[in-house]
Amino acid sequence: MGKKLLYIDPIYCNDDLDLFAEQFRQSVDADTAVDVVSLGEKPGPLHLEYSCYEVMAMPDIVRLVKKAEEEGYDAAVVGCFYDPALRACREVSQKMAITAPAEASLHIASTLGESISIIVGRQKWVPEIRENVHKYGFSQKLASIIPLEMGVLDFQKNHSQTMERIRSAARKTLERDGADVIVLGCTAELGFYQQLQDELGVPVIDVSLASVKYAEFLVNIRQKLNWTHSKRVGYQSPPEEEAAAFRLFAD
């Protein structure tokens, strides 16, 4: 049985969609199709480094997820390492699996090693990422969060320079912090994991790929075992009449 996934790049720009799509095509199973979309090209944030930008994007993320389920997708990925609106998206979906890069990569990394180091862009990101690590229950596995002082839009500008900065940080945390798994804590760090992994000899998790593979896994266990997000407590959906009354899903 095939799987149809939607990867949402939660910014207002289409520039990187082909980059993500090509990486996903090389990584998913033969029976998995991944469509990659952004929030459109209307005025809006080109990254979510600031919490206020994240909040601005959330309504459009929720609407896209709702529309994706109506269009028959099996899973959706909210493609930012802050995991914006993840709980809200699970509320508005009925059967569709929903995940995001931090949740997915931390679950995978915690299975592959004992001590996780997350390499991020800026010091600004560290508090929210640390909160998510704690929220997901992985604080005891966290060796360090290392900022490179690079913004989201910097990672793909000069690949050799980006690689060198990530490599230096990764080697430092392996030696200093005792990490044995590296998580590249930004979706814009796409395309660097394989060379680093080969050089360092430890798992290096590309969080965009991790989220898509985790979504595949969630769809597979739903298709085979009917395990999906529980609607009994935290992911309970809002009453349809309430949502309709104030046009929750209106554009």
Side-chain angles (χ1 to χ4, degrees), residues 211-226:
S211 62
V212 168
K213 295 302 290 183
Y214 197 65
E216 271 191 318
F217 164 74
L218 292 174
V219 174
N220 188 56
I221 61 172
R222 190 194 71 206
Q223 291 177 342
K224 299 293 179 64
L225 304 170
N226 201 30

Side-chain angles (χ1 to χ4, degrees), residues 93-189:
S93 67
Q94 297 302 317
K95 294 289 186 180
M96 187 170 64
I98 316 287
T99 191
E103 181 196 59
S105 60
L106 288 169
H107 276 285
I108 294 169
S110 69
T111 301
L112 298 180
E114 303 289 343
S115 189
I116 302 165
S117 184
I118 306 172
I119 297 176
V120 303
R122 297 174 53 217
Q123 185 71 35
K124 170 72 175 72
W125 310 2
V126 173
E128 184 166 355
I129 290 172
R130 193 179 297 279
E131 285 176 4
N132 280 344
V133 171
H134 175 75
K135 178 174 69 176
Y136 295 145
F138 295 110
S139 294
Q140 78 281 4
K141 289 266 193 174
L142 183 64
S144 59
I145 303 175
I146 301 179
L148 303 178
E149 293 311 321
M150 297 178 69
V152 170
L153 302 180
D154 297 329
F155 284 111
Q156 296 293 328
K157 287 181 178 178
N158 184 322
H159 282 204
S160 61
Q161 183 181 83
T162 298
M163 176 67 80
E164 184 51 43
R165 294 179 76 165
I166 296 174
R167 179 189 291 115
S168 177
R171 285 176 173 163
K172 182 182 297 183
T173 192
L174 293 178
E175 297 170 3
R176 182 190 67 193
D177 305 319
D180 65 348
V181 181
I182 303 295
V183 171
L184 303 181
C186 180
T187 58
E189 291 178 80

Side-chain angles (χ1 to χ4, degrees), residues 15 29-30 42 49 53-54 57 61 63 70 85 100-101 103 117 130 167 175 180 190 198 204 224 226-227 245 247:
D15 287 355
D29 297 338
K42 61 185 179 182
E49 293 187 38
Y53 290 5
E54 189 180 358
I61 294 170
R63 293 185 190 107
E70 292 170 352
E103 181 196 59
S117 184
R130 193 179 297 279
R167 179 189 291 115
E175 297 170 3
D180 65 348
L190 187 71
D198 292 344
V204 177
K224 299 293 179 64
N226 201 30
W227 293 346
R247 303 178 73 239

Side-chain angles (χ1 to χ4, degrees), residues 37-49:
V37 299
S38 73
L39 301 181
E41 293 191 294
K42 61 185 179 182
L46 301 181
H47 59 77
L48 301 186
E49 293 187 38

Side-chain angles (χ1 to χ4, degrees), residues 25-52:
R25 276 193 292 270
Q26 297 175 25
S27 304
V28 297
D29 297 338
D31 65 346
T32 299
V34 186
D35 292 329
V36 183
V37 299
S38 73
L39 301 181
E41 293 191 294
K42 61 185 179 182
L46 301 181
H47 59 77
L48 301 186
E49 293 187 38
Y50 300 95
S51 296
C52 55

